[in-house]
Amino acid sequence: MNKVKIVVDSVSTIPWEKAEELGIELVPYYVNFEDESIKEGPEFDMKTFYKKLRKAKTWPTTSHPTYQDIEEIFSRLEKETKEVIYLVVSPKWTETYNIAYQVRKKFKNMRIELCDIGTALGKLGLIALEANKMANEGKSIDEIIEHIFYLNKRSELFIVLDTLKYLAKGGRIGKVKALLGSTLPIKPIITTKEGVAVPAGKVLSHKQALNWIINRIKSDLKKFKASKIKCFIEDVDNKEMANLLKSKVMENFKCEEIWEVEMSPLIGTHTGPGTWGISYLII
């Protein structure tokens, strides 16, 4: 019997070349910038994109995958397997879930499970990687889905914004809007909860944000009586803070895996340059 195949949205920040190597299918999103609709993929030049983003006068927009994008992936997988788990971002953020729901009706000979765990970024990526490992071990689709929701409870993501203005421009500010009224130059710390972005904390500097994150990881390790983590160190054109975060994480914790990744341009468009953060899974 062919193994279960794992599909995940590109906002998971799993590098395209690594996803291909591991046999994970990434579903691409689009960035609409300077009269061009750019599809995410291995050829997307994020360094150039973020350089332009800092100087942009007209702010870019983003859009979800098309029906054809998802159909093409499912059609290709139909030749390899009869069972697919698609880790998709929440319908509270995008229409992707609803489009995938319609597409899967066409594939009557496949079991396609749409799995919304209410998160994105490296947290979604870490869980997709674990699901893929289970699939490679021959675990059943039901076992994998059960474990996905178990892992969701043992993982977190926190991103630090240099400013809230980009999130406000994109209209995706949600519950974070409450922070806009501050007269202080705060650095918001954002997480996800039930499919929406929510404030996790606010500090006055990147250094304070770094200490906040390290203390939160320590607290979670204590909560789960665990000693190890797997993590994604993520940034939007802010290698200085990403490198500092990595150094502090390695100094304070036992890391079974540590990935250094650039955030998806879809995320970068809404959070803006200078964003950095971590997604971690308690082992």
Side-chain angles (χ1 to χ4, degrees), residues 160-204:
V160 182
L161 276 60
D162 196 42
T163 172
L164 276 168
K165 68 179 182 180
Y166 299 112
L167 206 59
K169 280 182 179 182
R172 298 295 182 91
I173 198 160
K175 294 184 179 180
V176 185
K177 187 175 182 180
L179 299 177
L180 278 176
S182 175
T183 58
L184 296 173
I186 64 169
K187 305 300 178 190
I189 303 170
I190 308 300
T191 188
T192 57
K193 187 175 182 180
E194 297 177 357
V196 295
V198 297
K202 55 183 178 180
V203 293
L204 297 178

Side-chain angles (χ1 to χ4, degrees), residues 257-274:
E257 287 181 24
I258 186 164
W259 295 57
E260 297 175 78
V261 297
E262 292 178 291
M263 289 186 196
S264 157
L266 184 90
I267 301 297
T269 294
H270 293 293
T271 63

Side-chain angles (χ1 to χ4, degrees), residues 24-38:
I24 296 172
E25 291 282 346
L26 293 181
V27 180
Y29 281 64
Y30 293 81
V31 177
N32 309 306
F33 192 30
E34 297 181 341
D35 299 320
E36 183 182 6
S37 183
I38 311 166

Side-chain angles (χ1 to χ4, degrees), residues 16-255:
W16 287 84
E17 63 278 5
K18 194 64 179 178
E20 183 177 1
E21 177 188 325
L22 295 172
I24 296 172
E25 291 282 346
L26 293 181
V27 180
Y29 281 64
Y30 293 81
V31 177
N32 309 306
F33 192 30
E34 297 181 341
D35 299 320
E36 183 182 6
S37 183
I38 311 166
K39 186 177 181 178
E40 285 190 274
E43 298 83 20
F44 196 109
D45 186 347
M46 285 199 275
K47 286 182 174 58
T48 299
F49 172 71
Y50 289 138
K51 192 176 292 184
K52 288 182 178 180
L53 203 59
R54 288 187 180 274
K55 302 175 182 178
K57 293 181 180 178
T58 302
W59 201 248
T61 60
T62 60
S63 54
H64 52 69
T66 66
Y67 184 102
Q68 290 73 26
D69 289 330
I70 298 173
E71 181 184 35
E72 188 275 327
I73 290 171
F74 288 171
S75 294
R76 187 166 64 251
L77 293 179
E78 191 176 29
K79 300 171 185 175
E80 303 177 30
T81 185
K82 295 297 181 185
E83 295 179 316
V84 170
I85 296 173
Y86 179 6
L87 282 151
V88 60
V89 298
S90 171
K92 294 178 182 178
W93 273 323
T94 172
E95 281 296 304
T96 309
Y97 185 100
N98 296 328
I99 294 169
Y101 185 85
Q102 293 302 318
V103 174
R104 76 171 181 177
K105 291 178 181 179
K106 181 177 178 180
F107 296 87
K108 302 186 183 302
N109 294 323
M110 295 176 72
R111 178 181 174 186
I112 301 172
E113 294 289 345
L114 305 181
C115 207
D116 167 24
I117 55 174
T119 193
L121 290 168
K123 180 177 175 180
L124 189 64
L126 284 165
I127 293 174
L129 290 168
E130 294 301 306
N132 194 57
K133 287 179 183 177
M134 292 186 71
N136 288 335
E137 292 167 359
K139 302 296 185 183
S140 73
I141 189 168
D142 292 313
E143 287 177 303
I144 298 171
I145 291 171
E146 181 180 359
H147 199 62
I148 283 170
F149 284 95
Y150 166 78
L151 293 174
N152 192 38
K153 296 175 182 178
R154 297 177 67 92
S155 56
E156 273 293 0
L157 77 86
F158 297 107
I159 61 171
V160 182
L161 276 60
D162 196 42
T163 172
L164 276 168
K165 68 179 182 180
Y166 299 112
L167 206 59
K169 280 182 179 182
R172 298 295 182 91
I173 198 160
K175 294 184 179 180
V176 185
K177 187 175 182 180
L179 299 177
L180 278 176
S182 175
T183 58
L184 296 173
I186 64 169
K187 305 300 178 190
I189 303 170
I190 308 300
T191 188
T192 57
K193 187 175 182 180
E194 297 177 357
V196 295
V198 297
K202 55 183 178 180
V203 293
L204 297 178
S205 68
H206 287 296
K207 183 178 179 180
Q208 288 181 2
L210 183 60
N211 291 334
W212 188 99
I213 287 171
I214 296 300
N215 288 332
R216 176 57 189 263
I217 298 173
K218 287 179 180 178
S219 175
D220 282 346
L221 283 168
K222 185 177 180 181
K223 172 184 173 182
F224 288 105
K225 297 180 174 61
S227 61
K228 295 181 182 179
I229 63 170
K230 295 183 180 183
C231 68
F232 275 34
I233 305 292
E234 307 164 283
D235 77 284
V236 180
D237 199 24
N238 194 345
K239 289 302 175 200
E240 181 181 355
M241 283 309 305
N243 290 337
L244 186 57
L245 176 58
K246 180 185 178 184
S247 176
K248 286 291 185 181
V249 166
M250 293 181 71
E251 178 185 324
N252 284 275
F253 308 111
K254 296 176 183 177
C255 299

